[in-house]
Amino acid sequence: MGLLDLFDGVVTFDDVGVAKPRPDLFLQAARCLALPAPRCLAFEDSPQGIEAGRRAGMTVVDVAHVLSVALPVATGLAGYPR
């Protein structure tokens, strides 16, 4: 899809070694962007991720509802034409 080019960096579990809801992943992402965590906006689709973003001091946007509506339509699973 070429989405990786849209991001300045990617941080994964492998980079921090601990899972959400610990904030380490979000804090590492902020460091990679050279921004303080409170200046970052986190988009999350799980309760653990939302909690991790809040613990990091970020504003968090819950996208679970958006994904539950958009993904079936995008993949044709909802009976809509692609």
Side-chain angles (χ1 to χ4, degrees), residues 4 11 15 18-19 23-24 32 34 38-39 41 44 47 54 60-61 63 65-66 69-70 75-76 78 81:
L4 196 55
V11 180
D15 297 309
V18 294
D24 303 56
C32 287
R39 295 226 22 238
L41 184 61
E44 259 300 333
R54 288 182 179 152
V60 181
V61 177
V63 298
H65 177 71
V66 173
V69 172
T75 60

Side-chain angles (χ1 to χ4, degrees), residues 26 41-51 53-54 58-69:
F26 288 104
L41 184 61
F43 293 86
E44 259 300 333
D45 64 343
S46 71
Q48 296 87 352
I50 291 167
E51 180 63 24
R54 288 182 179 152
M58 296 180 178
T59 299
V60 181
V61 177
D62 181 352
V63 298
H65 177 71
V66 173
L67 292 176
S68 69
V69 172

